[in-house]
Amino acid sequence: GGGEGGISRSVHPSMLKEMPAVELSPDEQALRQQLLNSATLTETVKGMDELIKETGAAMARQRPMQFEEVAPAQPQDPVPLTPEEEAVKRAQLEAEAAAQAERVEKAKKERENAFRFKGKPTPLLEELSPRLQMGPIPVNEYMQQALAHPKHGYYMQRDVFGTKGDFVTAPEVSQIFGELMGIWVVWVWEALGSPKKLQLVELGPGRGTMMADMLRAIGKFRPLVGGLSVEMVETSPALREAQRKKLSKGSTAGSSEVHHDGTGIMVRWRDTLGDVPLNKDVPCIMIAQEFLDCMPVKQFQYTELGWCERLVELDPTKEGPHHLRYVLSKGPTPPAQVLLNKELVPGIPRVPEMNQGVEVSSEAFQVAQEIGRRVSITGGAALMIDYGNNGPSVDSLQAIKKHKKVHVLESPGECDVTAHVDFSAIRKAALDGSTVDASMAAAAAALAAAGSSERGDAGGNRESPRQAALRVVEEVKQGNKAALEAHGPTTQCDFLHAMGIRERAGQILESASASQAKRLEEEYTRLCSPDEMGTLFKVLAITPATIPVGTAAGFPPGSEVETTYSTTEENQPGVPQLDPNAFPEGVPKVDNGLPAGAPQCAVDRRQLAEAIVKKNQQQSEEKSSSDGTGPAGSSAGGQ
């Protein structure tokens, strides 16, 4: 019913049924009907939500009136403090303020310590500092910036090769190296049937020394020269200029295409392999010498949490020797979950030990896959020479500055940072790069190489070269055989000897002076000795399946190195390394004075040294005879 206050909100609607009915006067009944009509109209037109909003607004309008009726509470006066209590409270506030200021200043000094106590930072480190202050970066990102930062990257603004640079590569050691690479290209060209056109691509050409030596050797084969074009994949403006001057001295500075001085072959420059034109009708031969070792690597370490990623951050401590330091991620990162599997890294341990490490270069995988794709499409070939293992490494990252090893984090942007190549992973990635077009490319290459011969060979084989090629093509088409073959990896020593380095050195020796002969011996030793580049460097070739394993130039049967997994840190400054080819004491000697079972390169090196000594002795005797002083004594033999 009615009433001044209406129905209380604490009354449940079910209770209304139990309340006694109240008789209303005619005026009250009319008012009641009017109210019901009004309420029904509101609920129908505006809905219950609007009704609730109106009710809430009405309550809000009433609230100030209610507050006015209630006297505001009087604030209580604080309890007065004694002078001693006030002094204590003031001291506490001052101490808290001083502590906060000290924390702020300490944090500021810690951020500056990396520069204040450790010398002047390199320009690249100054450039990267804002990013590093936000948190650590992966090792591969650090390596990428250190080598290829557009302004401060190691390769971008300087000539880093040769005796005046920071390191010497094999092409800089001896002209013979580049000449043998040229001979390998000629052999592949002939194995492919001497196509009218051929594309030669070099990845990371350095100063252009190897390409100059290759073209000098290739220039003797005029049918090849007429259809050959050269593509140089290089990002560094400084190195592009050095390459241009080496190959075409009279060309205009900054030219992106020139004619080679000796042969007239067109040479062009590209930023990436992907920029090199791809023509399925023109076989592409790619050479990558000390290119893959510059591909950034990710490093992982196995912990109780799983494979954690190694990161680089600013070192805020005074005790740290460098501006930067290594740290581990707080747990497995997405790259660890994606990259660390047998499909990508065949040599990775199935059950890793605690704190075991591993390096992986996804960038190198991508390059190898692109190489394999281009070989399969064009029916060409690829040759990759680099230092590394036939398996993954633990921590092979190293830095070279002025021909000496330095810490990787010591001078970012001012030293060469490289890592050992995992040839087992590179081999698999290249073979995985084969495309559906590979069978057609393999067929064309096989038929061209086979010629028209229908007879077997002189060795008594029943199958003619043409029949063998057709069989391979059919196997590829049916999916019973891969379209590509991998040759190696083999050691640089074995490859160079198979390609004829000893014979070529003998040719040069015939007209060499005593000083030239001595230098030739040093070059040969540098390239082939197990103590130098001979076994550390590996060589891998990718060809169409029509060039079977064991038949490719430079890769004799049985020369492939075993798959390994490095379980110790490599190439760290101050860490002595054992020579895997060293012979223990007590090994029986043979007539040549070397241990039984010594590598062929050791035998060849000794024979070459003996030939040089003999030639020096002959020259000394001839000089003595012409001077009238008699035959030379033991001094010639002492050389």
Side-chain angles (χ1 to χ4, degrees):
E4 294 181 359
I7 299 178
S8 172
R9 287 181 295 173
S10 62
V11 178
H12 193 275
S14 63
M15 297 173 62
L16 299 178
K17 299 180 179 179
E18 302 176 0
M19 295 179 66
V22 180
E23 294 185 1
L24 301 176
S25 65
D27 294 335
E28 289 175 336
Q29 290 181 353
L31 177 60
R32 179 176 181 275
Q33 187 62 40
Q34 182 180 356
L35 293 172
L36 289 174
N37 293 340
S38 176
T40 302
L41 181 62
T42 301
E43 291 173 0
T44 303
V45 177
K46 297 185 178 179
M48 187 59 69
D49 290 340
E50 292 295 330
L51 188 61
I52 293 174
K53 290 180 181 180
E54 287 186 3
T55 304
M59 292 175 63
R61 288 193 297 270
Q62 292 176 1
R63 208 169 285 128
M65 298 174 60
Q66 296 173 356
F67 292 153
E68 291 175 2
E69 296 173 359
V70 179
Q74 295 295 328
Q76 295 182 356
D77 295 331
V79 179
L81 301 177
T82 64
E84 293 79 5
E85 291 174 336
E86 289 182 354
V88 171
K89 185 176 182 179
R90 184 165 53 253
Q92 290 176 343
L93 293 175
E94 292 175 354
E96 291 178 1
Q100 177 64 16
E102 183 179 353
R103 286 193 293 269
V104 172
E105 185 63 23
K106 182 180 179 180
K108 181 180 179 181
K109 288 183 177 180
E110 285 181 348
R111 289 193 298 269
E112 297 174 351
N113 271 348
F115 304 123
R116 179 175 297 176
F117 298 109
K118 303 172 186 178
K120 182 177 176 60
T122 63
L124 176 62
L125 184 54
E126 289 182 337
E127 185 89 7
L128 297 180
S129 291
R131 166 64 183 87
L132 288 166
Q133 288 177 358
M134 298 171 61
I137 61 177
V139 170
N140 66 312
E141 183 177 337
Y142 168 78
M143 186 176 176
Q144 174 69 25
Q145 294 292 338
L147 296 178
H149 185 277
K151 186 175 182 181
H152 304 300
Y154 175 73
Y155 287 114
M156 304 308 289
Q157 302 296 331
R158 58 177 66 85
D159 182 0
V160 299
F161 300 93
T163 56
K164 295 182 180 180
D166 291 321
F167 58 89
V168 177
T169 61
E172 303 290 340
V173 171
S174 173
Q175 71 179 57
I176 300 178
F177 186 89
E179 291 172 349
L180 294 181
M181 298 302 107
I183 296 301
W184 191 84
V185 171
V186 174
W187 182 91
V188 173
W189 173 68
E190 292 180 344
L192 297 179
S194 305
K196 293 182 179 180
K197 291 186 178 181
L198 185 72
Q199 184 186 62
L200 177 60
V201 179
E202 184 178 0
L203 306 176
R207 291 196 300 189
T209 303
M210 186 172 78
M211 182 56 72
D213 294 335
M214 289 173 64
L215 294 180
R216 184 173 60 252
I218 292 173
K220 300 181 182 300
F221 299 84
R222 300 312 301 178
L224 171 57
V225 171
L228 182 65
S229 62
V230 174
E231 303 284 346
M232 308 278 274
V233 178
E234 180 61 70
T235 59
S236 168
L239 291 179
R240 278 193 176 192
E241 277 301 287
Q243 295 156 14
R244 180 191 61 79
K245 293 177 181 178
K246 176 72 71 172
L247 299 177
S248 181
K249 296 180 180 179
S251 58
T252 305
S255 299
S256 59
E257 58 179 46
V258 299
H259 288 281
H260 176 240
D261 285 339
T263 62
I265 294 172
M266 177 65 74
V267 181
R268 299 178 178 86
W269 278 264
R270 312 288 180 179
D271 289 330
T272 67
L273 179 57
D275 296 332
V276 176
L278 181 63
N279 188 339
K280 63 182 180 63
D281 297 324
V282 179
C284 174
I285 298 179
M286 291 158 281
I287 310 291
Q289 198 276 331
E290 289 200 53
F291 177 76
L292 296 175
D293 66 308
C294 300
M295 296 291 101
V297 296
K298 281 185 173 293
Q299 294 185 326
F300 303 95
Q301 185 171 334
Y302 192 76
T303 71
E304 61 276 4
L305 300 176
W307 286 106
C308 295
E309 187 169 354
R310 205 174 189 186
L311 310 172
V312 177
E313 71 171 4
L314 287 174
D315 185 356
T317 65
K318 184 177 180 180
E319 294 76 17
H322 309 293
H323 297 295
L324 303 169
R325 65 182 178 185
Y326 288 118
V327 293
L328 285 179
S329 61
K330 296 181 180 179
T333 58
Q337 298 170 352
V338 172
L339 296 175
L340 299 184
N341 64 79
K342 285 284 185 179
E343 290 298 318
L344 291 177
V345 189
I348 192 173
R350 293 184 180 276
V351 183
E353 299 177 359
M354 191 59 61
N355 296 323
Q356 192 169 10
V358 67
E359 284 179 341
V360 179
S361 175
S362 58
E363 285 86 349
F365 296 167
Q366 294 170 5
V367 172
Q369 284 184 334
E370 177 63 15
I371 287 175
R373 187 179 78 90
R374 287 175 177 260
V375 171
S376 69
I377 292 176
T378 67
L383 190 68
M384 292 166 270
I385 310 106
D386 231 310
Y387 63 91
N389 309 303
N390 197 20
S393 297
V394 173
D395 178 12
S396 68
L397 206 61
Q398 65 175 3
I400 302 294
K401 186 175 184 179
K402 296 181 180 178
H403 300 274
K404 294 182 179 180
K405 290 181 179 179
V406 298
H407 196 282
V408 173
L409 304 180
E410 180 177 311
S411 303
E414 296 183 354
C415 55
D416 185 33
V417 181
T418 60
H420 282 203
V421 176
D422 178 0
F423 277 94
S424 65
I426 294 301
R427 171 180 172 143
K428 187 178 188 308
L431 295 179
D432 288 345
S434 176
T435 70
V436 294
D437 297 328
S439 60
M440 298 305 297
L447 294 175
S452 59
S453 174
E454 293 291 348
R455 294 181 179 181
D457 59 24
N461 295 326
R462 298 178 180 178
E463 199 174 40
S464 71
R466 182 177 180 82
Q467 290 170 339
L470 290 173
R471 175 179 52 78
V472 170
V473 170
E474 191 62 29
E475 290 177 354
V476 171
K477 288 182 177 180
Q478 294 178 0
N480 298 327
K481 183 177 181 62
L484 301 180
E485 285 283 12
H487 307 265
T490 187
T491 64
Q492 178 172 292
C493 172
D494 288 342
F495 176 81
L496 292 179
H497 280 94
M499 289 300 301
I501 187 173
R502 185 173 56 180
E503 291 77 8
R504 177 57 180 151
Q507 292 175 353
I508 298 177
L509 189 62
E510 292 178 356
S511 58
S513 64
S515 60
Q516 291 172 337
K518 181 175 178 59
R519 186 169 65 251
L520 181 62
E521 179 188 11
E522 294 173 348
E523 294 171 355
Y524 177 88
T525 300
R526 182 74 181 274
L527 292 175
C528 298
S529 170
D531 298 327
E532 300 281 352
M533 296 179 173
T535 56
L536 175 61
F537 280 72
K538 310 296 189 300
V539 187
L540 173 69
I542 304 295
T543 69
T546 50
I547 301 178
V549 173
T551 65
F555 299 89
S559 63
E560 181 177 339
V561 298
E562 295 181 357
T563 301
T564 59
Y565 175 72
S566 173
T567 56
T568 58
E569 292 192 358
E570 305 166 356
N571 302 314
Q572 295 304 305
V575 180
Q577 299 297 315
L578 294 177
D579 180 7
N581 297 282
F583 293 92
E585 295 182 4
V587 174
K589 304 292 182 178
V590 294
D591 293 340
N592 59 17
L594 295 172
Q600 181 63 36
C601 63
V603 179
D604 292 337
R605 188 169 71 254
R606 184 177 182 85
Q607 292 175 350
L608 179 63
E610 291 174 349
I612 292 173
V613 169
K614 183 177 180 180
K615 183 174 180 64
N616 291 343
Q617 185 176 2
Q618 292 175 348
Q619 291 179 342
S620 298
E621 292 175 352
E622 293 173 358
K623 182 178 180 181
S624 298
S625 299
S626 61
D627 294 342
T629 58
S634 60
S635 59
Q639 294 178 5

